[in-house]
Amino acid sequence: MDSQTSQSSQASQSPHTFQVDLRGLVDLLSHHLYSSPKVYLRELLQNAVDAITARRAEQPDAPAAVRLYAEGGTLRVEDSGVGLTESDVHSLLATIGRSSKREDGLQAARSDFLGQFGIGLLACFVVAERIRVVSRSARTPDAAPVEWTATDDGSYTVRTLPHEARPEPGTTVHLVARAGAGEWLAEDRVRSLARDFGSLLPYDVRIGDEAIADLPAPWDRTYPSPTTRRGALARHCHDLFGFTPLDTIDLNVPLAGVRGVAYVLPSAVSPAQRASHRVHLKGMLLTERAEQLLPDWAFFVRCVLDTDSLRPTASRESLYEDETLATVREALGERIRSWLTGLAAGDPERLAAFLSVHHLGVKSLARHDNEMLRTMLPWLPFETTDGRLSLEEFALRHPVVHFTRTVEEYRQVAPIASAQGIGVINGGYTYDSELVEALPSVRPGAVVSELDADTVTAHLDTVDPAEELALSGFLMAARAKLDPLGCDVVLRAFHPLSVPALHLDDRAARHEQARAEAEEQADDLWAGILGSLRGSAPRARLVLNHLNPLIRRISSLRDPELIGTATESLYGQALLMAQRPLRPADSALLNRAFIGLLEWATHTEPGKDDLR
């Protein structure tokens, strides 16, 4: 009994071989690994190019030709590469994931290869129901040609052929389209895909008699003049990306094995929009959607480049995020930065044209790079009370550079500050407040100060004490009306005369206002906690303009109820002028004031007839 138990235990522990459902694996490839069936042609081209590379590693003068023939739902791809023996076929083609690049003698040259033969050929089942490979080895010239035929049900056959079936070393792959996939093997589609994937391949690749490769690459060609070169690259950009570039930037980084060009977009784009770049790996198009190739701030360019150092992901449709990619990204960013500084030094007109469209990208760079900020100071535009100026010019005009952190704050104070001679920069746009605050680091002696309500109020003229005392009753009634809203009322004289009232607050005042509102709506526990957080920050204030004729008429009113309605109307109008978001209480106030004014305007004294 013990012996039987022992034998049973040993049997249950014996190793088993994984069984692969080829159709299930093809479904996995087509729906999850590859983005489109079109990659099958890239895999065929990669295998052909790698086979030629392997042969030339041993026979430098060996022919380097790839031919594609598409007809009637079939495709034939011939190469003059290293070829396979019968044992190679069993070892490589019939074993999923096995790559010829791992074989002895080729490992040292692995960086010269594009793909992995085992999984690459399998990708053809995405469009084909049958694959037939005929190959003859260049390493073993006396070996007979071998034929490997596989179907998508997972079965395959291998047989040797007469020497005349394949007189020269190399490999021919025959595909027969699966049902519904014939379009992928049509001649026009094959030609289009071959041009797209193989335009920069270093070998003689043709579909029929038509050459596919277009070498040297446009950025490596010799042109009669810089103007001619720019024109040629502009046409290349239009063909690839569909736009005519504002400018071009060479991306030559020999140490990183990168050659290419960046095209500057002719119109502004959102910094949040991921840029898609075209990346070729040793001449073969790897992806049209490389998103991590450049620093985030360089969103104003689209790149096309060829590299031999970057590492592809398993699907070979994107780049693997590693130290090499990080190094290349930094080097490419430096090339774009150098282009900008070169424009600033020698071509201000082109720089101005660029910044008129893409100032946001440069501001993003400058906030982290003091040297770039120093270079761009005379050029980067900012919205100011003096018009659209650079930081450099604005700082020369004003001893203190005031700025606001939000667009709403700027709109609130800009007309008044300008009339009082206070220079203010709108720091509410992306990156602007950060750059203004960084100004002293690149311009010693510059004084930067965030504008607050106290600063504005201090620059407004005070009213004669006797006149203000005479209006104390009016001011008291107005303050009582706005006190529940957390707003004080003050009287000043300022320009322009057309502004009857100005609503001023700052972040501290808004924070205290939000805390007070939350306290009113909270239960006893939270009300106590929020009450303990009560600050001593100044409240918002409604500044009435004593020089404005409307304010003078309102201040002469004697009816407290009418004073309250008029004050609410002025408060609401000042909020709207500042383009501030309205709280529910503010909206209710505006509605109440509007109705109140209508009632007052249509009121008739008792005993008098209505106007007819």
Side-chain angles (χ1 to χ4, degrees), residues 525-571:
L525 174 61
W526 282 108
I529 294 174
L530 292 169
S532 67
L533 298 176
R534 183 179 295 111
S536 59
R539 303 203 303 171
R541 66 199 70 173
L542 182 68
V543 184
L544 303 179
N545 187 359
H546 188 55
L547 300 180
N548 180 267
L550 177 61
I551 294 299
R552 287 183 175 272
R553 290 197 297 271
I554 292 176
S555 63
S556 65
L557 296 173
R558 294 293 178 261
D559 183 348
E561 185 176 348
L562 187 54
I563 290 175
T565 300
T567 302
E568 288 181 330
S569 300
L570 290 169
Y571 174 81

Side-chain angles (χ1 to χ4, degrees), residues 37-49:
K38 70 180 182 180
V39 298
Y40 87 91
L41 191 65
R42 183 196 61 197
E43 300 296 343
L44 287 175
L45 288 175
Q46 283 185 345
N47 288 337
V49 169

Side-chain angles (χ1 to χ4, degrees), residues 229-498:
R229 185 176 191 272
R230 279 198 297 270
L233 289 177
R235 289 190 295 272
H236 177 248
C237 174
H238 191 274
D239 292 341
L240 282 185
F241 298 115
F243 66 85
T244 300
L246 197 63
D247 208 342
T248 59
I249 308 169
D250 285 318
L251 300 178
N252 182 16
V253 189
L255 293 179
V258 172
R259 289 280 299 174
V261 63
Y263 294 115
V264 181
L265 291 165
S267 56
V269 294
S270 167
Q273 179 180 332
R274 282 291 185 181
S276 296
H277 310 290
R278 290 176 62 96
V279 177
H280 295 255
L281 181 60
K282 303 178 182 68
M284 180 72 72
L285 179 65
L286 180 70
T287 179
E288 300 172 281
R289 299 185 300 274
E291 296 182 348
Q292 306 297 333
L293 188 64
L294 296 180
D296 290 340
W297 55 261
F299 56 83
F300 50 83
V301 299
R302 296 292 179 269
C303 296
V304 53
L305 54 83
D306 189 24
T307 175
D308 57 18
S309 63
L310 298 180
R311 178 182 167 193
T313 58
S315 67
R316 294 192 290 284
E317 293 188 277
S318 58
L319 298 172
Y320 189 82
E321 185 68 46
D322 57 11
E323 289 186 8
T324 302
L325 179 56
T327 301
V328 168
R329 181 164 49 237
E330 183 178 348
L332 295 179
E334 182 57 39
R335 291 294 182 275
I336 298 174
R337 183 186 289 108
S338 298
W339 170 77
L340 284 171
T341 55
L343 288 186
D347 201 338
E349 290 186 3
R350 283 171 67 198
L351 178 63
F354 166 75
L355 288 178
S356 67
V357 179
H358 296 298
H359 57 273
L360 200 58
V362 180
K363 286 181 177 181
S364 175
L365 171 60
R367 67 194 178 115
H368 297 303
D369 188 330
N370 280 351
E371 189 58 39
M372 180 57 65
L373 177 58
R374 185 178 292 107
T375 302
M376 291 292 124
L377 269 181
W379 308 103
L380 287 175
F382 288 79
E383 183 180 354
T384 79
T385 49
D386 293 353
R388 199 159 181 81
L389 299 176
S390 68
L391 272 180
E392 177 80 11
E393 187 174 356
F394 188 84
L396 290 173
R397 293 186 182 187
H398 299 278
V400 178
V401 177
H402 291 287
F403 72 98
T404 63
R405 291 194 181 275
T406 67
V407 174
E408 291 80 8
E409 290 174 353
Y410 177 80
R411 290 171 178 165
Q412 182 180 4
V413 302
I416 309 303
S418 178
Q420 309 307 313
I422 307 174
V424 184
I425 294 177
N426 184 355
Y429 296 115
T430 307
Y431 312 131
D432 282 11
S433 61
E434 297 174 70
L435 293 175
V436 175
E437 289 183 298
L439 181 61
S441 67
V442 297
R443 195 177 188 277
V447 179
V448 173
S449 176
E450 182 177 355
L451 189 68
D452 56 24
D454 288 337
T455 302
V456 177
T457 306
H459 280 77
L460 305 180
D461 294 334
T462 58
V463 178
D464 181 85
E467 291 187 53
E468 187 167 3
L469 181 60
L471 298 176
S472 59
F474 162 74
L475 293 173
M476 186 178 300
R479 287 165 182 156
K481 197 66 176 178
L482 297 187
D483 183 68
L485 296 172
C487 183
D488 292 331
V489 178
V490 296
L491 189 65
R492 292 289 187 272
F494 56 87
H495 292 272
L497 302 180
S498 58

Side-chain angles (χ1 to χ4, degrees), residues 568 585-597:
E568 288 181 330
D586 297 330
S587 299
L589 175 144
L590 280 171
N591 184 62
R592 184 170 63 247
F594 178 71
I595 297 298
L597 288 177

